[in-house]
Amino acid sequence: RGPTLSKYSMLALPLYKPLQHRPSICRRKQARQSTITRAMSINSNSNAAKFEQVKDMYSKNKASAFPDVPDMSCEEVASVVLQGKGSSEPLIIIDTRTQEEQQVSMLPGPVLTKEEFEQKQEEFMHHKVVCYCTIGMRSGLFAKRLREQGFSAYNLDGSILGWTHHNYPLLEKDRRTETRRVHVYGKQWALQAEGYESVAFQVPLLRLAYGFVLQQAQSIARPVWNAFQTGPQQDAQK
């Protein structure tokens, strides 16, 4: 009979298994690197898929609601507001979103809210007016109305979500502090690029829709009311 092994030596046996029966350090490193590569590929594909979804949603909105409104790409706008390249016409950017959305972030550059623009819109008749919202629907409708009034109006292709997919900066409402947060309607609209944080609406979408319809009605009624007010004044001067 061979030598017997104590219970302590039996416990120690696994420590002396041949190295070929264990995964090598090299294999473990390769496995980790493969996992990291797959994760990076998934993130990249996810980012590309979200950008494709943004472009698809924008194209469908444009075809159905404002097919004749010309686009301006994010690259074109960035070349003016970020790189200081000249434009054939002075450029003004209109944020057509709600105040709640604007509190989170806005585009850099010469940006006005829709209300600020409407208060002095005659001053911008010879400007190139670029409108944006979350994904381009509201801004496209606003640009359509401006073109009917004679403005050189464009819609920002992909709007603020498209802007994030070019990794361009956003600013807080104070117009000085850079941020990576962007406001969206809800989870299904959280299509911002990797590295940006989505902030969803805190009010029900039905209330938001009501506010949007009310804004449109006020925008249409305001010029009529202004004309009604100036009419009696002109008659009095005569």
Side-chain angles (χ1 to χ4, degrees), residues 6 34 44 66 69 79 82 87 128 167 177 184 197:
S6 70
S34 177
S44 176
F66 44 91
V69 174
S79 70
L82 299 179
S87 175
K128 183 178 288 185
N167 199 33
T177 309
V184 298
E197 175 191 355

Side-chain angles (χ1 to χ4, degrees), residues 109-154:
V111 180
L112 297 176
T113 66
K114 194 167 81 168
E115 293 73 24
E116 291 170 339
F117 173 79
E118 289 176 335
Q119 289 174 2
K120 49 184 179 180
Q121 63 182 41
E122 295 80 10
E123 299 178 14
F124 305 110
M125 184 58 72
H126 301 292
H127 284 62
K128 183 178 288 185
V129 181
V130 183
C131 308
Y132 80 92
C133 58
T134 302
I135 206 164
M137 183 64 175
R138 288 172 289 174
S139 55
L141 293 173
F142 189 65
K144 178 182 178 181
R145 184 160 63 82
L146 290 181
R147 291 187 72 83
E148 291 170 353
Q149 296 174 10
F151 286 91
S152 176
Y154 298 78

Side-chain angles (χ1 to χ4, degrees), residues 51 75 87 113 138 150-151 153 157 164 168 185:
F51 191 27
E75 295 94 333
S87 175
T113 66
R138 288 172 289 174
F151 286 91
D157 188 358
T164 67
Y168 293 144
Y185 283 104

Side-chain angles (χ1 to χ4, degrees), residues 16-198:
Y16 296 99
K17 283 185 178 180
L19 290 177
Q20 60 264 30
H21 294 300
R22 304 179 190 176
S24 67
I25 295 175
C26 182
R27 287 178 188 170
R28 287 199 296 270
K29 284 184 177 179
Q30 289 175 346
R32 278 200 301 269
Q33 186 61 43
S34 177
T35 302
I36 293 170
T37 302
R38 284 198 303 272
M40 290 176 65
S41 176
I42 289 170
N43 286 337
S44 176
N45 290 338
S46 174
N47 210 36
K50 287 194 289 186
F51 191 27
E52 286 301 317
Q53 194 171 349
V54 168
K55 292 189 288 186
D56 182 61
M57 291 175 68
Y58 178 73
S59 297
K60 289 178 179 177
N61 288 340
K62 178 180 174 68
S64 64
F66 44 91
D68 298 326
V69 174
D71 300 330
M72 183 168 285
S73 70
C74 294
E75 295 94 333
E76 290 177 283
V77 175
S79 70
V80 177
V81 302
L82 299 179
Q83 301 171 14
K85 293 184 179 179
S87 175
S88 57
E89 303 169 272
L91 181 71
I92 192 74
I93 303 172
I94 311 300
D95 188 328
T96 65
R97 302 173 302 156
T98 64
Q99 289 185 6
E100 183 179 1
E101 295 168 277
Q102 294 164 358
Q103 287 293 337
V104 176
S105 62
M106 299 175 72
L107 263 62
V111 180
L112 297 176
T113 66
K114 194 167 81 168
E115 293 73 24
E116 291 170 339
F117 173 79
E118 289 176 335
Q119 289 174 2
K120 49 184 179 180
Q121 63 182 41
E122 295 80 10
E123 299 178 14
F124 305 110
M125 184 58 72
H126 301 292
H127 284 62
K128 183 178 288 185
V129 181
V130 183
C131 308
Y132 80 92
C133 58
T134 302
I135 206 164
M137 183 64 175
R138 288 172 289 174
S139 55
L141 293 173
F142 189 65
K144 178 182 178 181
R145 184 160 63 82
L146 290 181
R147 291 187 72 83
E148 291 170 353
Q149 296 174 10
F151 286 91
S152 176
Y154 298 78
N155 198 24
L156 181 62
D157 188 358
S159 276
I160 198 169
L161 286 177
W163 185 266
T164 67
H165 281 277
H166 292 83
N167 199 33
Y168 293 144
L170 297 171
L171 298 179
E172 293 183 0
K173 190 68 182 290
D174 62 12
R175 315 301 295 140
R176 295 187 300 272
T177 309
E178 191 168 329
T179 181
R180 304 291 283 185
R181 301 168 75 231
V182 59
H183 206 296
V184 298
Y185 283 104
K187 290 183 179 179
Q188 63 269 44
W189 284 280
L191 300 172
Q192 74 283 351
E194 299 292 336
Y196 292 83
E197 175 191 355
S198 64

